Amino acid sequence: MATDSATPKKQRKLDSSDNVGEGDESRDYDTETQKALEEIDACQNEIDALNEKASEEILKVEQKYNKLRRPYFEKRNELIRKIPNFWVTAFVNHPQISAILDEEEEECLHYLTKVEVEEFEDIKSGYRIKFYFDENPFFDNDVLCKEFHLGQSGDPASKSTPIKWKENMDLTKRQQLAKNSRKRPHQARTFFFWFTDHGDASADDIAEVIKDDMWPNPLQYFLVSDIEVDENGLGEDDSEEDEEVDDSVVVVEEDEGDEDEDLEGEEIDEDVEEEEVYEGEEADEGEGEDEEAEGEDLEAEAEAGEEADLEAVEEKEGGVGGDD
């Protein structure tokens, strides 16, 4: 029997497809672990039930606010129609949508007057994107619609309006001819190729971008060019400020040069002062020596005078003694 201090046996990893409650005989979990796993599974079932309930509540909220937003979307579309080339400008300014636009498609989208995204009553079941066009030289359709829905298998699927191209104006055929003319043809995705493609609806990133990014706020992409101009203007101001800063740096360098010159001048002045002090000390020493020499001369003269006086006194005394 294994003791508590013995190394526990490594447990087999629980597979997500395993049913914990059925007590598979192939399991080697001990009783305590098996009980904990069953309790965890019960908790997870409760969490899943709450998540499902939350999804239903969120769906109701989304449906409610979709209805509230609808009149504002309609009013916005009416205002957008007053601005020439609004949608083509917004598409060209969008990084992901512009990546699939070629020149002829961009020319075609100049006739695009309105875009709408309609979500189904059951939001989870799908949505459709509608593109409204004025009369144009490319096709006869007034409205092109691409719809995303759940297919019979339950997987996402899509369908789109057949485009009634005018003679020799089918942009998808032109794109195909252009691809075939290349030495190394590749699957180049363009806007109308995306519109007519229904290969994998679950991976349609362009549709998701239009629904979740472009449609909620197209104004931000229409104004991108103006924002860039403003940013460039600010950039020029910044560059001017940088130039001013650079000038100030030069001035600082000049000041540093002046300081160096001042320091050099101060060092020269200090050297001159030291030399003057040294010369002054030498002069003082010279004057001291002269004074000492003069003092010695005076002492010598005094001593000579005293000696002369003594000699005179001695002579006088000698003269007196001779008379006696």
Side-chain angles (χ1 to χ4, degrees):
M1 183 175 178
T3 61
D4 293 339
S5 61
T7 303
K9 181 171 64 176
K10 185 176 181 181
Q11 302 292 336
R12 185 170 66 85
K13 183 178 180 181
L14 181 63
D15 205 357
S16 60
S17 62
D18 292 335
N19 190 339
V20 176
E22 292 182 356
D24 190 348
E25 293 181 356
S26 64
R27 299 298 178 83
D28 52 2
Y29 299 117
D30 57 39
T31 303
E32 187 177 353
T33 300
Q34 184 69 26
K35 182 180 178 181
L37 290 172
E38 291 174 358
E39 291 177 354
I40 292 171
D41 185 57
C43 287
Q44 191 62 50
N45 290 335
E46 295 293 336
I47 293 171
D48 293 340
L50 286 173
N51 288 340
E52 184 65 25
K53 186 177 180 180
S55 297
E56 294 173 0
E57 295 294 330
I58 291 170
L59 178 60
K60 292 178 182 178
V61 172
E62 285 292 334
Q63 290 172 337
K64 173 185 175 180
Y65 282 93
N66 278 345
K67 291 179 180 178
L68 294 174
R69 283 191 289 258
R70 192 171 298 159
Y72 292 98
F73 284 138
E74 292 174 356
K75 181 179 180 180
R76 188 184 70 183
N77 269 331
E78 292 175 2
L79 295 171
I80 285 175
R81 289 182 69 90
K82 298 179 181 180
I83 303 174
N85 302 322
F86 179 92
W87 285 108
V88 66
T89 303
F91 279 18
V92 168
N93 288 339
H94 194 286
Q96 289 170 274
I97 299 176
S98 63
I100 66 169
L101 286 176
D102 64 16
E103 293 182 2
E104 288 184 309
E105 288 179 332
E106 184 178 334
E107 182 181 349
C108 178
L109 291 181
H110 276 79
Y111 298 93
L112 178 63
T113 59
K114 184 169 72 170
V115 174
E116 282 185 342
V117 175
E118 296 179 355
E119 291 188 284
F120 297 165
E121 186 66 23
D122 180 5
I123 297 173
K124 294 181 179 180
S125 62
Y127 61 94
R128 61 178 62 92
I129 304 174
K130 292 182 176 180
F131 303 93
Y132 294 79
F133 288 85
D134 279 339
E135 184 177 351
N136 62 81
F138 295 93
F139 46 76
D140 295 324
N141 306 72
D142 295 330
V143 182
L144 297 178
C145 177
K146 186 166 186 178
E147 181 179 301
F148 296 85
H149 57 273
L150 295 177
Q152 294 179 350
S153 63
D155 296 327
S158 64
K159 62 180 181 178
S160 59
T161 306
I163 302 177
K164 300 176 183 178
W165 295 104
K166 293 183 178 180
E167 187 176 1
N168 298 325
M169 298 303 291
D170 188 340
L171 298 182
T172 57
K173 288 184 178 179
R174 292 186 184 184
Q175 293 157 6
Q176 188 64 42
L177 290 172
K179 287 192 296 181
N180 293 338
S181 65
R182 297 191 184 101
K183 293 181 180 179
R184 292 184 178 180
H186 63 279
Q187 191 68 22
R189 186 168 65 156
T190 62
F191 181 81
F192 285 106
F193 176 84
W194 159 79
F195 183 82
T196 57
D197 178 39
H198 306 293
D200 186 1
S202 64
D204 196 323
D205 56 331
I206 297 300
E208 294 294 324
V209 164
I210 294 174
K211 180 176 75 76
D212 297 331
D213 190 21
M214 176 61 74
W215 170 246
N217 185 8
L219 184 62
Q220 62 179 326
Y221 293 105
F222 177 79
L223 296 176
V224 163
S225 57
D226 295 334
I227 294 172
E228 288 178 349
V229 170
D230 292 339
E231 289 178 350
N232 290 334
L234 291 173
E236 291 176 359
D237 294 338
D238 292 339
S239 62
E240 290 178 359
E241 292 178 0
D242 292 338
E243 290 178 357
E244 292 177 359
V245 171
D246 292 339
D247 293 339
S248 65
V249 170
V250 173
V251 171
V252 169
E253 291 177 353
E254 292 177 355
D255 292 340
E256 290 177 353
D258 294 339
E259 290 178 358
D260 292 339
E261 292 178 358
D262 293 339
L263 290 172
E264 292 177 359
E266 291 176 1
E267 291 176 355
I268 293 172
D269 293 338
E270 290 176 357
D271 293 339
V272 170
E273 290 176 359
E274 290 176 356
E275 291 177 359
E276 290 176 352
V277 169
Y278 181 73
E279 292 176 355
E281 290 176 351
E282 289 182 344
D284 291 341
E285 290 177 356
E287 290 176 357
E289 292 176 353
D290 293 338
E291 290 177 356
E292 290 177 358
E294 290 178 358
E296 292 176 352
D297 294 339
L298 291 174
E299 289 179 355
E301 291 178 357
E303 290 177 355
E306 289 177 355
E307 292 178 355
D309 291 338
L310 289 173
E311 290 177 355
V313 170
E314 290 176 353
E315 289 178 357
K316 185 175 181 180
E317 289 178 352
V320 171
D323 293 337
D324 292 337

